[in-house]
Amino acid sequence: QDSVERIVEDAAMDLSLNPFSSGTRLRDMIRAIRASKTAAEERAVVRRECAAIRAAISDNDQDYRHRNMAKLMFIHMLGYPTHFGQMECLKLIAASGFPEKRIGYLGLTLLLDERQEVLMLVTNSLKQDLNHSNQFIVGLALCALGNICSAEMARDLAPEVERLLQTRDPNTKKKAALCSIRIVRKVPDLAENFMGSAASLLKEKHHGVLISVVQLCTELCKASREALEYLRKHSVEGLVRILRDVSNSSYAPEYDIAGITDPFLHIRVLRLMRTLGQGDADCSEHVNDILAQVATKTESNKNAGNAILYECVETIMGIEATSGLRVLAINILGRFLSNRDNNIRYVALNMLMKAMAVDTLAVQRHRVTILECVKDADVSIRKRALELVYLLVNDTNVKPLTKELVDYLEVSDDDFKEDLTAKICSIVEKFSQDKLWYLDQMFKVLTLTGNFVKDDVWHALIVLISNAPELQGYSVRSLYKALQASGTQESLVRVAVWCIGEYGEMLVNNISMLDVEEPITVTESDAVDALELALKRYSVDFPGDVTKLSEDTSNCCAE
Amino acid sequence: WILFQVHCHLIFLFFSASSQINFVLLISRQGKVRLTKWYSPYTQKERTKVIRELSGLILTRGPKLCNFVEWRGYKVVYRRYASLYFCMCIDADDNELEVLEIIHHFVEILDRYFGSVCELDLIFNFHKAYYVLDEILISGELQESSKKNVARLIAAQDSLVEAAKEEAGSISNIIAQATK
C-alpha cells in the first residue's frame, strides 16, 4: 500500500514540478557549465546532458521536452552541435499549449537556419498557427516566419500574411508587415501583392505599425518598379503628414528619446522619402519643406537628434533637392566634422565621401579638418579620413597634401603605416609627371617605411630612374645619403644598392648635379663599403648578381 | 575618372536604403557569448568564426574610440554596458547612429523587465532575453518604438505561461488529493 501511494505521490510531484518551467535542472546545468575550470570539463558536462536529452527524445518524453529545449538552446549558444534536437522544435510547435509553442518557435529560429530542409516540415504548423484564435500564437508564427523562412515557405504562406495585414490588432499588424518584408526579400515577385495594403496602412496611428509599414514600403520599392511608382503616387502626402506630425509633436513620454518623439519613426520616414524622391523631381518637391524643417529644427546635442540629422542629410543628397536644401545639408556636415563626439566625426566623414559625387567643392572646403582626422586617435576615423583625402587629391593640392601625409607617416602607429604608405605611393605615382618631386617623395617614404612599400611600387621607381638620365646622378646621391642616415628599411636598401651599382661613377664624381644639390664627397671605397654593409645586413635577392655588382662598382669607380 | 567611379558607386548606395540588422551579438568582457541572433544565413561553422573574429576586434578596442568597427565590408555597431558588449552588424551604408539607439532601446527594455538587469540575469534567463528581443526586432528590422508596449506584450505572454503552469499544478493537486 505504502509503495503504491508513494509511486502516485512521486508522479504527482513530477507533474507539479512543472514541465513548463526550466526548474532547477536547467539552472543546475548552467551552474555546472559555469563551474567548469577547463574546456574538457565543460565538454564532459555537455556530453552528459546531450546524452540525457537524446534518451528523452528517443523515449518521446513529453514532460521535460520544454526544459530540454531550453538546455539545447543554451548548449547551442556555447557552440556545440545540436542537430539531434531539431525535430523536438517541431513537436513543441505542434503542441496545443502556448508555452510549448513559445519555446518551440524560439528553438526553431535559434537551432535552425533557412537552408535546412527540416524547416519545410513546419509549414503546416505555421499555417495553422497563422489562423489561430489566440493573437499571441499568431504573433509567434509571424515572428518565426519573419526571422527564418525560405523562399518556398514565403511563397506558400504569403496569402496568410497578406490577410493578417488587415487584422485589427496592431501587434499582429506590425508583425505581419515585418514578416512581409522578409517574404518580399525572398520572393520579389510578390511585391505587387502587398503594395495596396502597405499604402493604405500609412494612415494608421499606432507607431509600431507605422514604423513596420514604412519599412515595408521601402522594401517594396527596392523589389519592384511597379510598387515604386504606385507608392510614389499614393503615399507621399501621407508620409509628409506623418513626419510633420511627429516632428511637431509635444512631449510623448511613451516615445520620447532625448526630448525627441520617436526618432525611429522620423528616420524610417526620411529613408522612404529618399527612395521615393530619388530621380523624381515631383516627389522631391513635395518633401522639400518638411526636410528643411527637420534639418533646421532637430536638436543635435544628443545622439538621437544626430541620427535623425544624418538620415536627413542622406535623403537631401539622394533626391533632387533644391540648392538651398543642399546648403543646409553641407552645413550640418560641417558642424558634425567638428563635433567632440567621435561617433559623429566618423559619420561625418562617411557622409562627406558620399557628398563628393554631389558637390566636390563643398567637400574640398573641409580639407584641412579632414586632414586632421587622418591623425585622429581612433583608427576607424583615421582610415576613413585617409580614404577621403585620397579622393580629394588634385593637381592643385597634391603637393601640400602629400607633405602632410609624409610628415605624419613618421609618427603614425605601426598598424596604420601600411595603409598610409600604400596611399601615399598611390598618390605620388598618379602625379609622377613632376619626376623630381616624385623621386623626393619616394625616397622619403622608402626611408621611413620602406618595409611596407610593395614590390611593384619600387620596381616602378627603378624603371623611372632608368629612363630619366638627367636624374640618375641626383638619385644615386640621394639614395646614398639615405642609406648612410638610416639603412634599416629593406626596400630602401634594395633600390639604393641597385642604384649605386648602376650609377656608382656618378656618385663618386658628382656627375649631372642639379641646382638644388650640394656636392658630397664619396670615394670609391666609401661606395664599396656602403654596398658591402648593405649586402651583409640583407642577404636576400638583389636585382642582378650580388658579387657582380660590387665588382662592377669597384671597376666602375676605378675607371 | 575617380569621381565617375565614385559617382556610380554612390548612386547605388543611395538607392539601396536598407536598415536591416544582419545579426545581434552579446559578449562578455571575457569573450563568452550571452546571446546571438542571426537574421542572415550563416552556418554554424561560419557563426563560430564570426564570433571569434569580432570578439578579437571589439574586446581589444580602447574605451575612447568610436562605437563602430569596419569588418568584412560591413559595419558593426557596439556599446559596452557594464560587463557586456552589445553588438549589431549592419551594411556599410546604414545609419550607425540609429543602431546605437536601437541597442540602447533593447538595453533599457531588458533593464525594466529584469529590474536592473545584470549579466547573470541574461545567463540564467537567456530564453527570456530572446523573447524580449523577438518583440523588438523581426527579420533584423525594428518592430516597436514604445518600450511600454514591448513590456506589456511580454507581460501578457508571461501571464499565459503562468496560467498554464497553474492549470497543470491544479491537476496534480487533484491527483494528490485523490491518493490521500
Side-chain angles (χ1 to χ4, degrees), chain B residues 102-148:
Chain B
I102 294 178
I103 290 176
H104 198 68
H105 189 57
F106 181 32
V107 171
E108 286 206 316
I109 292 171
L110 282 175
D111 203 45
R112 266 179 233 197
Y113 180 66
F114 286 106
S116 243
V117 67
C118 65
E119 195 180 335
L120 278 180
D121 288 322
L122 299 180
I123 295 170
F124 284 97
N125 290 298
F126 65 97
H127 52 305
K128 297 191 179 170
Y130 277 109
Y131 292 144
V132 169
L133 182 59
D134 278 348
E135 290 298 332
I136 297 172
L137 295 175
I138 287 181
S139 192
E141 301 283 357
L142 188 68
Q143 180 187 163
E144 180 58 70
S145 47
S146 158
K147 299 189 227 302
K148 201 166 106 177

Side-chain angles (χ1 to χ4, degrees), chain B residues 151-167:
Chain B
R152 221 176 19 88
L153 290 166
I154 298 281
Q157 292 174 82
D158 285 348
S159 298
L160 282 183
V161 173
E162 282 307 307
K165 238 198 269 189
E166 284 193 16
E167 209 182 295

Side-chain angles (χ1 to χ4, degrees), chain A residues 378-380, chain B residues 23-33 35 38 49-72 74-90 99-100 103:
Chain A
D378 185 333
V379 62
S380 300
Chain B
F23 57 83
V24 176
L25 181 62
L26 262 66
I27 44 177
S28 74
R29 262 196 334 198
Q30 288 78 32
K32 293 267 165 74
V33 175
L35 187 150
W38 305 80
K49 191 153 184 271
V50 166
I51 293 170
R52 197 174 38 234
E53 271 178 39
L54 281 178
S55 302
L57 254 176
I58 290 174
L59 295 175
T60 52
R61 270 174 81 78
K64 295 221 167 85
L65 302 184
C66 70
N67 295 88
F68 321 121
V69 279
E70 283 155 40
W71 168 80
R72 292 198 195 175
Y74 295 103
K75 274 195 285 232
V76 178
V77 181
Y78 73 96
R79 183 168 257 161
R80 183 173 158 191
Y81 290 84
S83 59
L84 278 174
Y85 287 80
F86 284 69
C87 314
M88 294 190 177
C89 173
I90 52 174
V99 177
L100 269 177
I103 290 176

